[in-house]
Amino acid sequence: MAKGTMRYWAAAKAAAGVHEEPYDAANLAEALAAASRRPGRSADFGRVVERSSFLVDGDPVGARPHVAVVLPEGGVVEVLPPFAGG
């Protein structure tokens, strides 16, 4: 298990109700599942996260399975929902 920070942007921030929060997880799938279970999280959070892209310490996750994305100790996960425009 690693401890770090998840940062939410735009619609992800609105759905989470916070700009950032800690993670304590071995991989991205575990971190997102734990974030979804936080008290007070709405169903909107899950819908936004499903459509989001992710960066781990600035590196794009891309199409890799979230369970295969190992999270580093002290790392930062950026949750980036789709943005309008180009």
Side-chain angles (χ1 to χ4, degrees):
M1 295 289 239
K3 295 180 188 296
T5 303
M6 292 185 70
R7 290 193 183 133
Y8 302 107
W9 298 96
K13 178 181 170 184
V18 296
H19 173 65
E20 66 180 39
E21 62 191 1
Y23 70 73
D24 188 356
N27 59 56
L28 182 57
E30 288 178 10
L32 294 172
S36 292
R37 291 189 304 267
R38 287 194 186 261
R41 266 308 126 83
S42 71
D44 285 342
F45 181 80
R47 287 190 290 274
V48 170
V49 168
E50 285 177 5
R51 297 186 323 262
S52 293
S53 299
F54 304 92
L55 301 175
V56 177
D57 284 346
D59 294 325
V61 169
R64 289 182 288 163
H66 294 164
V67 72
V69 179
V70 176
L71 296 180
E73 183 68 31
V76 176
V77 175
E78 309 276 349
V79 181
L80 307 165
F83 293 91

